[in-house]
Amino acid sequence: MAWQELANDILTHVGGRENIASLTHCATRLRFRLNAHAKANPEALKQHPGVIMVVESGGQFQVVIGNHVADVYKAVCAQAGLNDDAPPAPDEAKSGALSRLIDVVSAIFTPFLGVMAASGILKGLLALSVVCGWLSPQSGTYQIWFAASDALFYFFPLVLGYTAGKKFGGSPFVTLAIGGALTHPLMVKAFETGQSETFFGIPVTFINYGSSVIPIIFAAWVSCWLERRCAPLLHAAVRNFFTPLICLAVTVPLTFLLIGPAATWLSQLLAHGYQAIYALAPWLAGGVMGAMWQVCVIFGLHWGMVPLMLNNLSVLGHDTLLPMLLPAIMGQVGACIGVLLRTRDARRKTLAGSAAMAGVFGITEPAVYGVTLPTRRPFIFGCVAGAIGGALIGWMHTSVYSFGFASIFTLAQTIPPGGMDGSVWGAVAGTAVAPVIACLLTWFAGMPKPAPQTASIVPIVPENVAENEVVAPLSGTQIALEAVPDSTFASGLLGQGAAIIPLAGEVRAPFAGEVASLFATRHAIGLQSDSGIELLIHVGIDTVKLDGRHFTAHVKAGDKIQPGDLLLSFDRQAILNEGYDLVTPVIISNSDDYASVQTVATSRDIRAGAPFLTISH
């Protein structure tokens, strides 16, 4: 139930259930195919506290959730009545070839990304255990765990057959059976023994399709196309078993005779073509991928690389593309750590810390969308550091020997079957260099300056302020006291009230009375109204550390004040540039003398002099 409210809001802002053609999810994103993108409201979703970002790319409406995406996905499906049997989204004729490719790849691979990453990590840990002497490859423990880690990759045609069948709109169990035929022991034995067989006199070329990627995807597409053509021609009484019969009887031989060899040739061409490009300047390839990977992730273009990595593993037995992405991930982690160390904004500090932790394990959307991209320079620094680390890894010709998300666990996957060598230490060096460079650049370059506030906010000069009323002392955005990023204020220990995030650098008198106290650092002031209300206005969080810099007092203790009088002024921009949070608690210090303290402002945006708090006896 914890995610029902978020799921309901997401459904509302994507245009309702009737606007959803299909829905899948990956490690951090809900991926919608919508019937009409114009009905969606991405701006409203971007403002939702449970949504990190909204990206429209590759024909998909992507809602970035973060680590809880699986829970939100289930809640959305439950509310919308979506299930695994929902028909696939129709192809959009207006979408480009790249958009269609990304949509197909993401739909086929996302359902098992989690177990695929887990399998790769387990394989890497097994390699590490052999190098360290913890396990022997001949031991039963090693062999059982190796079977667990290798099963998905060996039987890839079955898994891909199922997901491709769903994507292409056919029976996924028929395409799964086709994948099973490709890895059947009889066919594997025929390949290993070099048998020469024919199918109705046509010679058959036996190929080992274990761990292959491209052949089954093409075979699934042919089977689904054939299924759509045959089903309408058959009577309903026999359609359910004659359609699969025709698909299996036609597609399996066609795959062994034509589709498989052609797709295998294409796979080898793709793998060797990549190797030829990589061999020209591996350090340059690493630098480009390290710099651009996060940009690709933002627009969802990274899915185009997944089949290439898997194909390299299938054809070559190793992949050099995946390790070059590790510095790109760690560069954003380092930038987050730089923000964490540099900023004094408690909310940004908390977000940067959690995003850095998620990034270490390969999930960078919270870091990119929540920390580095909004402040721009840290994102650029992360990409620069990723380019340097990626170039180092490319130069050392580092490879991985199993697939998984680029994360700290990828280091274990870079260990060759023969044991540790220079390529592994290259991966370690590139992975360590990237976060250090990004962190240092972020620290020394400082946080980017917020855009200056150019609008002139004219305060309201109230004619009369009731004895039980406090008008707003600042212009800005009103927030609840509980939302203040300081537990002393948020808990109400100092009294009840509310807070304002100021948009102008002026504090004005909220009632008639006198200045009870003025802090030497001029960041806070205590007031007492003629009716006995004691009020504390504290500009910013931890701004006492500025020791009075950027603050100017226009009154002193004991001065009489009238509503609207200027009490303090401060350089809002300079304080923000030094990394301080300017949220300003406005506290009724003697709240215990009153029955209640309530907020009366009707809008989050408030001007100085507008009704703000009311006190009841």
Side-chain angles (χ1 to χ4, degrees):
M1 295 298 292
W3 308 107
Q4 294 303 314
E5 184 177 349
L6 174 57
N8 183 65
D9 291 341
I10 291 173
L11 280 173
T12 299
H13 293 307
V14 299
R17 168 64 183 93
E18 62 280 1
N19 196 38
I20 300 174
S22 67
L23 171 63
T24 58
H25 77 88
C26 58
T28 56
R29 309 180 187 201
L30 296 175
R31 295 173 173 269
F32 291 92
R33 287 293 300 273
L34 302 180
N35 295 316
H37 280 251
K39 293 182 179 180
N41 188 350
E43 294 305 319
L45 278 175
K46 289 177 184 177
Q47 301 302 318
H48 198 289
V51 174
I52 297 175
M53 181 55 68
V54 175
V55 180
E56 296 183 70
S57 177
Q60 296 180 335
F61 188 87
Q62 304 171 13
V63 182
V64 185
I65 301 296
N67 297 334
H68 302 292
V69 66
D71 298 317
V72 179
Y73 170 79
K74 292 176 183 176
V76 171
C77 288
Q79 289 201 24
L82 298 169
N83 54 55
D84 289 343
D85 297 324
D91 290 332
E92 297 181 6
K94 295 182 180 179
S95 61
L98 179 60
S99 295
R100 291 197 297 271
L101 172 64
I102 291 172
D103 178 60
V104 168
V105 170
S106 63
I108 291 175
F109 288 95
T110 50
F112 56 88
L113 271 182
V115 65
M116 185 164 60
S119 298
I121 292 170
L122 181 55
K123 225 173 196 182
L125 293 176
L126 283 173
L128 181 63
S129 69
V130 171
V131 170
C132 295
W134 301 332
L135 288 176
S136 167
Q138 287 73 41
S139 68
T141 303
Y142 176 91
Q143 292 178 7
I144 289 174
W145 270 340
F146 182 83
S149 68
D150 195 55
L152 177 70
F153 297 102
Y154 184 82
F155 294 106
F156 240 166
L158 281 82
V159 180
L160 290 172
Y162 182 83
T163 56
K166 290 181 63 176
K167 174 57 186 173
F168 295 139
S171 170
F173 291 102
V174 172
T175 49
L176 180 147
I178 295 170
L182 294 180
T183 55
H184 194 280
L186 284 176
M187 303 296 102
V188 174
K189 183 179 179 181
F191 164 77
E192 292 175 344
T193 58
Q195 288 181 221
S196 297
E197 300 290 347
T198 62
F199 182 79
F200 285 108
I202 304 174
V204 176
T205 302
F206 288 106
I207 299 171
N208 184 7
Y209 292 106
S211 304
S212 62
V213 176
I214 296 179
I216 182 58
I217 294 178
F218 279 100
W221 183 86
V222 170
S223 175
C224 294
W225 178 87
L226 186 62
E227 182 178 340
R228 288 193 298 272
R229 296 301 183 275
C230 291
L233 303 177
L234 298 173
H235 191 276
V238 297
R239 181 182 303 151
N240 287 343
F241 55 88
F242 264 104
T243 301
L245 172 62
I246 294 172
C247 290
L248 287 174
V250 172
T251 308
V252 171
L254 187 63
T255 300
F256 280 104
L257 291 170
L258 178 62
I259 298 173
T264 300
W265 172 81
L266 178 62
S267 300
Q268 293 172 343
L269 183 66
L270 187 64
H272 294 303
Y274 165 79
Q275 282 295 100
I277 296 172
Y278 175 79
L280 290 176
W283 63 270
L284 180 60
V288 171
M289 292 309 304
M292 297 303 298
W293 180 250
Q294 289 302 326
V295 178
C296 293
V297 170
I298 290 173
F299 295 102
L301 302 177
H302 59 300
W303 280 107
M305 302 291 183
V306 172
L308 179 58
M309 299 177 202
L310 291 170
N311 188 65
N312 287 342
L313 287 167
S314 174
V315 176
L316 306 173
H318 61 88
D319 173 50
T320 54
L321 180 56
L322 180 59
M324 293 189 293
L325 310 180
L326 187 53
I329 304 291
M330 295 304 164
Q332 297 302 316
V333 171
C336 281
I337 295 173
V339 171
L340 172 68
L341 298 175
R342 183 70 175 83
T343 186
R344 289 186 175 89
D345 185 328
R347 286 173 294 179
R348 183 175 289 171
K349 190 182 290 287
T350 300
L351 180 58
S354 61
M357 182 60 68
V360 169
F361 297 103
I363 306 299
T364 56
E365 277 86 349
V368 171
Y369 293 121
V371 182
T372 63
L373 192 59
T375 44
R376 296 192 181 183
R377 268 186 274 174
F379 178 75
I380 295 172
F381 294 156
C383 292
V384 169
I388 296 171
L392 180 57
I393 285 179
W395 183 52
M396 296 299 294
H397 294 84
T398 303
S399 298
V400 294
Y401 300 88
S402 59
F403 186 79
F405 294 123
S407 71
I408 194 66
F409 295 112
T410 304
L411 293 175
Q413 296 170 243
T414 63
I415 301 174
M420 300 280 285
D421 60 14
S423 67
V424 180
W425 296 117
V428 173
T431 303
V433 162
V436 171
I437 293 176
C439 181
L440 292 176
L441 287 174
T442 302
W443 171 262
F444 285 111
M447 298 296 293
K449 296 180 180 180
Q453 181 67 29
T454 57
S456 176
I457 303 176
V458 180
I460 299 170
V461 180
E463 296 181 0
N464 296 297
V465 178
E467 291 185 352
N468 67 333
E469 186 181 8
V470 176
V471 299
L474 303 99
S475 299
T477 302
Q478 176 193 199
I479 65 172
L481 192 64
E482 294 80 8
V484 173
D486 184 297
S487 59
T488 303
F489 290 111
S491 64
L493 290 176
L494 299 180
Q496 300 302 309
I500 297 173
I501 302 173
L503 292 178
E506 294 182 343
V507 178
R508 294 185 174 270
F511 46 53
E514 70 174 29
V515 178
S517 62
L518 177 64
F519 284 62
T521 52
R522 301 182 295 280
H523 74 290
I525 188 169
L527 308 174
Q528 183 169 354
S529 73
D530 291 339
S531 62
I533 299 172
E534 297 176 7
L535 191 76
L536 171 66
I537 304 171
H538 191 288
V539 181
I541 304 300
D542 290 334
T543 46
V544 65
K545 297 176 182 178
L546 289 170
D547 198 25
R549 293 196 313 278
H550 314 310
F551 288 95
T552 302
H554 299 276
V555 293
K556 60 182 182 298
D559 284 356
K560 295 295 184 179
I561 56 173
Q562 293 297 320
D565 287 351
L566 181 61
L567 305 178
L568 302 173
S569 59
F570 53 92
D571 190 333
R572 175 180 173 275
Q573 195 68 50
I575 295 170
L576 289 173
N577 289 347
E578 293 209 31
Y580 288 90
D581 191 332
L582 266 177
V583 62
T584 300
V586 181
I587 303 293
I588 306 297
S589 305
N590 57 341
S591 299
D592 292 342
D593 296 342
Y594 302 99
S596 67
V597 177
Q598 296 181 335
T599 303
V600 295
T602 57
S603 172
R604 280 175 53 85
D605 297 325
I606 192 168
R607 279 199 292 169
F612 186 52
L613 299 175
T614 184
I615 294 93
S616 301
H617 288 281

